[in-house]
Amino acid sequence: MNRKDSAITTEIFPSDMRTSLGRNLTYGMLDVIGRAIVIGEYDNVAFPTEAELARKHGVSRAVTREAVKMLTAKGLLSARPRQGTIVQPQSSWNLFDSDVLHWLLERKFSVELLRHFNQLRVAIEPEAAALAAMQATDAERAAIGAGLSRMVAAEAGADNTLAADIAFHVAVLEGSRNPFYKQFRDMVASALATSIHFTNRIKGRSASIEDHRAVYDAILRRDSDGARCAMRRLIGDVLTLIGEAEATAAP
Amino acid sequence: MNRKDSAITTEIFPSDMRTSLGRNLTYGMLDVIGRAIVIGEYDNVAFPTEAELARKHGVSRAVTREAVKMLTAKGLLSARPRQGTIVQPQSSWNLFDSDVLHWLLERKFSVELLRHFNQLRVAIEPEAAALAAMQATDAERAAIGAGLSRMVAAEAGADNTLAADIAFHVAVLEGSRNPFYKQFRDMVASALATSIHFTNRIKGRSASIEDHRAVYDAILRRDSDGARCAMRRLIGDVLTLIGEAEATAAP
DNA sequence: GTTTACGCAATTATCATATCTATCTGACTT
DNA sequence: AAGTCAGATAGATATGATAATTGCGTAAAC
């Protein structure tokens, strides 16, 4: 079969496909199967065999196996002869993988997921700010300041609000000089992108900029406790809003 | 070529191979290549082509491709036609992948890595303890208590010290009822396994047990601030020791 | 002289097929 | 019961051929 005939090709190329993934059949399969797993399509049904998957999507078994292997590496699947391929429990998924994260967010908007995100952020980012206050280089401090400037510019309509917000928070993570903290880039970006629809209407942007500036100022004067508290307040506020939303929605 | 003839087979089967990985050629290749990348074997040399890798290790190209795809999924590699396969910068590696973590730790003992670990723990675990104090179920609280009991038993020689310590900290993470926190299982286990050699001699185990008990007590009485502080003290102590070690070693 | 267009070659991407190996099931034996 | 063996199934591996992509050098065009 020619590649042009593949079901995957017509299914997702070229419009729907995630840009961060490559543009070949293997990545297409990865995306389609990964999304289906996260959606829960195989929750109470047996996962297809390699041969079935290959036939259903119109690709070779080699391509199928490569996609399955990638999903195995991300913790979504495991495969054994005779038993077949099985979906792993969610607890073993690698939630910090940006593909997995993307599929999860794409699934459906969930306030609970947003709360989980921000419960993590409230642990990570204040500590990152504290580390940045102590150890960030001049260039890294400048990047944080640049992020703040972009937020100010965005308020005047000269920049994108979300992009500026992300730039600020990512710059703080970078300033921590700890590779593990830097890993939260994607997570923070996703959390902000998701929560922007949620918080936009509730609370004015100007107050938020003051909160961000407090973080920046503390980092500049190398006040790690101050930076930690300021960042904690920033995210704590969002968390409070989320809690209220859950309380009113759930009664 | 028969599987029994493969270089991988003699290279790593059956003794050296990580037990968490499967026992087939693909996982063998994954382990060998992943380790080589993390060690830095390809830092200033071009990464081999698929054909070369396959020939060098005596396996087929299909197996090689599957291993490369898994490493791509973990962020260590990227592949494009004509350009070849290239090692990604460390910043895009997925450090929360337990394989990557394992290769990193295996590389060589580094106080800096241990510090990075514990700088993350000091963010995560106190917050997890605070969440557990508020939301953990009775069963989860009991699991934390069981971990503490095992630590006491270990002191009397009736249990393994490291395993008990890990059980306690993992139970706290589970008690947070947040899937993102639960992801740090492997990281905390690795950090504890690594740091046990480091802290054992410096500070008595009994003091540590009292610190752990303080966390447990706070969680039991649903005192989230107390749990956060107690856990923070626990890990902060380790961090201080690491800092002192770096200060005396560096100059 | 600079830019564009084109074609070659290298490398990954894909396919098809055959065979091997691990493991589950169930029957058979002890 | 407990152990052993045979068949069936699904993943694991090998092989060789073809397709698609793209970096790069070269020639043509301006």
Side-chain angles (χ1 to χ4, degrees), chain B residues 18 25-26 47 97 103 105 128 135 146 158 175 193 198 202 205 209 218 233 242 249:
Chain B
R18 300 214 20 229
L25 292 185
T26 301
F47 196 83
D97 182 282
W103 294 322
L105 288 168
Q135 320 185 2
F198 186 77
I202 306 181
R205 236 49 195 127
I209 285 191
R233 199 176 321 124
I242 293 171

Side-chain angles (χ1 to χ4, degrees), chain A residues 1 24-26 59-60 63 80 82:
Chain A
M1 182 184 327
N24 49 42
L25 293 184
T26 301
V59 296
S60 71
V63 166
R80 289 169 57 194
R82 170 74 204 192

Side-chain angles (χ1 to χ4, degrees), chain B residues 146-167 196 205-206 209:
Chain B
L148 184 61
S149 303
R150 288 188 61 184
M151 290 187 69
V152 175
E155 187 159 64
D159 202 333
N160 179 278
T161 307
L162 174 60
D165 205 358
I166 291 175
I196 197 165
R205 236 49 195 127
S206 51
I209 285 191

Side-chain angles (χ1 to χ4, degrees), chain B residues 1 3 24-26 59-61 63 80-82:
Chain B
M1 183 184 327
R3 166 170 173 175
N24 49 43
L25 292 185
T26 301
V59 297
S60 70
R61 254 190 84 202
V63 165
R80 290 168 60 190
R82 171 71 204 187

Side-chain angles (χ1 to χ4, degrees), chain A residues 14 91 97 145 147 192:
Chain A
S91 61
D97 181 282
L192 286 173

